[in-house]
Coordinates of all heavy atoms in Angstrom, one line a residue:
Q29 N -4.4 1.8 7.7 CA -5.6 2.7 7.5 C -5.8 3.2 6.1 O -6.9 3.7 5.8 CB -5.4 3.9 8.4 CG -5.4 3.6 9.9 CD -5.3 4.9 10.7 OE1 -4.4 5.0 11.4 NE2 -6.3 5.8 10.6
L30 N -4.9 3.0 5.2 CA -5.0 3.6 3.8 C -6.2 3.0 3.1 O -7.1 3.8 2.6 CB -3.7 3.3 3.0 CG -3.8 3.8 1.6 CD1 -3.9 5.4 1.6 CD2 -2.5 3.4 0.8
L31 N -6.3 1.7 3.0 CA -7.5 1.2 2.2 C -8.8 1.5 2.9 O -9.8 1.8 2.2 CB -7.3 -0.3 2.1 CG -6.1 -0.8 1.3 CD1 -6.0 -2.3 1.3 CD2 -6.1 -0.3 -0.1
Q32 N -8.8 1.4 4.2 CA -10.1 1.7 4.9 C -10.5 3.1 4.8 O -11.6 3.4 4.5 CB -9.9 1.3 6.4 CG -11.1 1.5 7.2 CD -10.9 1.2 8.7 OE1 -9.9 0.5 9.0 NE2 -11.7 1.7 9.6
D33 N -9.5 4.1 5.0 CA -9.9 5.5 5.0 C -10.3 6.0 3.6 O -11.1 6.9 3.4 CB -8.8 6.3 5.6 CG -8.6 6.1 7.1 OD1 -9.4 5.4 7.7 OD2 -7.7 6.8 7.7
L34 N -9.6 5.4 2.6 CA -10.0 5.8 1.2 C -11.1 5.0 0.6 O -11.5 5.2 -0.5 CB -8.7 5.7 0.3 CG -7.5 6.6 0.7 CD1 -6.4 6.5 -0.3 CD2 -7.9 8.1 0.9
R35 N -11.6 4.0 1.4 CA -12.7 3.2 1.0 C -12.4 2.5 -0.4 O -13.1 2.5 -1.3 CB -14.0 4.0 0.9 CG -14.4 4.5 2.3 CD -15.8 5.1 2.2 NE -15.8 6.4 1.4 CZ -15.4 7.6 1.9 NH1 -15.1 7.7 3.1 NH2 -15.5 8.6 1.1
I36 N -11.2 1.9 -0.4 CA -10.7 1.2 -1.6 C -10.9 -0.3 -1.2 O -10.3 -0.8 -0.3 CB -9.3 1.5 -2.0 CG1 -9.1 3.0 -2.3 CG2 -8.8 0.6 -3.1 CD1 -7.7 3.4 -2.6
E37 N -11.7 -0.9 -2.0 CA -12.1 -2.3 -1.7 C -11.7 -3.3 -2.8 O -11.4 -2.9 -3.9 CB -13.6 -2.4 -1.4 CG -14.1 -1.5 -0.3 CD -15.6 -1.5 -0.2 OE1 -16.3 -2.1 -1.1 OE2 -16.2 -0.9 0.8
G38 N -11.7 -4.6 -2.4 CA -11.4 -5.6 -3.4 C -10.1 -6.3 -3.0 O -9.2 -5.8 -2.4
P39 N -10.0 -7.5 -3.6 CA -8.7 -8.3 -3.3 C -7.5 -7.7 -4.0 O -6.4 -7.9 -3.6 CB -9.1 -9.7 -3.8 CG -10.2 -9.5 -4.8 CD -11.0 -8.3 -4.4
G40 N -7.8 -7.1 -5.1 CA -6.6 -6.5 -5.9 C -5.8 -5.5 -5.1 O -4.6 -5.6 -4.9
P41 N -6.5 -4.4 -4.6 CA -5.8 -3.4 -3.9 C -5.2 -4.0 -2.6 O -4.0 -3.6 -2.2 CB -6.8 -2.4 -3.5 CG -7.8 -2.5 -4.7 CD -7.9 -4.0 -5.0
A42 N -5.9 -4.9 -1.9 CA -5.3 -5.5 -0.7 C -4.1 -6.3 -1.0 O -3.1 -6.3 -0.2 CB -6.4 -6.4 -0.1
A43 N -4.0 -7.0 -2.1 CA -2.8 -7.7 -2.4 C -1.7 -6.8 -2.9 O -0.5 -7.1 -2.8 CB -3.1 -8.7 -3.5
L44 N -2.1 -5.7 -3.6 CA -1.1 -4.8 -4.2 C -0.4 -3.9 -3.1 O 0.8 -3.5 -3.2 CB -1.7 -3.9 -5.2 CG -0.8 -2.9 -6.0 CD1 0.3 -3.7 -6.7 CD2 -1.6 -2.1 -7.0
L45 N -1.2 -3.6 -2.0 CA -0.6 -2.7 -1.0 C 0.7 -3.1 -0.4 O 1.7 -2.4 -0.4 CB -1.6 -2.4 0.1 CG -1.2 -1.4 1.2 CD1 -0.8 -0.1 0.6 CD2 -2.3 -1.3 2.3
P46 N 0.8 -4.4 0.0 CA 2.2 -4.9 0.6 C 3.3 -4.7 -0.4 O 4.4 -4.4 -0.1 CB 1.9 -6.3 0.9 CG 0.4 -6.4 1.1 CD -0.2 -5.5 0.1
I47 N 2.9 -5.0 -1.7 CA 4.0 -4.9 -2.8 C 4.5 -3.4 -2.9 O 5.7 -3.1 -3.0 CB 3.5 -5.4 -4.1 CG1 3.1 -6.9 -4.0 CG2 4.5 -5.1 -5.2 CD1 2.4 -7.4 -5.2
L48 N 3.5 -2.5 -2.9 CA 3.8 -1.1 -2.9 C 4.7 -0.6 -1.7 O 5.6 0.1 -1.9 CB 2.6 -0.2 -3.0 CG 1.8 -0.3 -4.3 CD1 0.5 0.5 -4.2 CD2 2.6 0.2 -5.5
L49 N 4.3 -1.2 -0.6 CA 5.1 -0.8 0.6 C 6.5 -1.4 0.6 O 7.4 -0.7 1.0 CB 4.3 -1.3 1.9 CG 3.0 -0.6 2.1 CD1 2.3 -1.2 3.4 CD2 3.1 0.9 2.2
E50 N 6.6 -2.6 0.1 CA 8.0 -3.2 -0.1 C 8.8 -2.3 -1.1 O 10.0 -2.1 -0.9 CB 7.9 -4.6 -0.6 CG 7.4 -5.6 0.5 CD 7.5 -7.0 0.0 OE1 8.0 -7.2 -1.1 OE2 6.9 -7.9 0.6
D51 N 8.1 -1.9 -2.2 CA 8.8 -1.1 -3.1 C 9.2 0.3 -2.5 O 10.3 0.8 -2.8 CB 8.0 -0.8 -4.4 CG 7.8 -2.1 -5.2 OD1 8.6 -3.0 -5.0 OD2 6.9 -2.1 -6.1
M52 N 8.3 0.8 -1.7 CA 8.6 2.0 -1.0 C 9.9 1.9 -0.1 O 10.7 2.8 -0.1 CB 7.4 2.5 -0.2 CG 7.6 3.9 0.5 SD 6.2 4.4 1.4 CE 6.3 3.4 2.8
V53 N 9.9 0.8 0.6 CA 11.1 0.6 1.4 C 12.4 0.5 0.6 O 13.4 1.0 0.9 CB 10.9 -0.7 2.3 CG1 12.2 -1.0 3.0 CG2 9.8 -0.5 3.3
A54 N 12.2 -0.3 -0.5 CA 13.4 -0.5 -1.4 C 13.8 0.9 -2.0 O 15.0 1.2 -2.1 CB 13.1 -1.5 -2.5
G55 N 12.9 1.7 -2.4 CA 13.2 3.0 -3.0 C 13.8 3.9 -2.0 O 14.7 4.7 -2.2
F56 N 13.2 3.8 -0.7 CA 13.8 4.6 0.4 C 15.2 4.2 0.6 O 16.1 5.1 0.7 CB 12.9 4.4 1.6 CG 13.4 5.1 2.8 CD1 12.9 6.4 3.1 CD2 14.3 4.6 3.7 CE1 13.3 7.1 4.2 CE2 14.7 5.3 4.9 CZ 14.2 6.6 5.1
V57 N 15.5 2.9 0.7 CA 16.9 2.5 1.0 C 17.8 2.8 -0.1 O 19.0 3.3 0.1 CB 16.9 1.0 1.3 CG1 18.3 0.4 1.4 CG2 16.1 0.6 2.5
A58 N 17.4 2.6 -1.4 CA 18.2 3.0 -2.5 C 18.5 4.5 -2.5 O 19.7 4.9 -2.8 CB 17.5 2.5 -3.8
A59 N 17.5 5.3 -2.3 CA 17.7 6.7 -2.4 C 18.6 7.2 -1.2 O 19.5 8.1 -1.4 CB 16.4 7.5 -2.3

């Protein structure tokens, strides 16, 4: 829902979101 609700469009954000989520998991696990 993030991209849709914030009305962020384009291939860049769509490709970047999974990377950010992976980083978030990595940061969560590390912390």
Side-chain angles (χ1 to χ4, degrees):
Q29 293 183 246
L30 178 63
L31 295 178
Q32 179 183 344
D33 289 359
L34 296 186
R35 296 188 291 278
I36 300 175
E37 301 175 351
L44 183 57
L45 179 59
I47 298 174
L48 290 176
L49 294 180
E50 288 182 12
D51 289 346
M52 184 177 74
V53 172
F56 180 89
V57 172

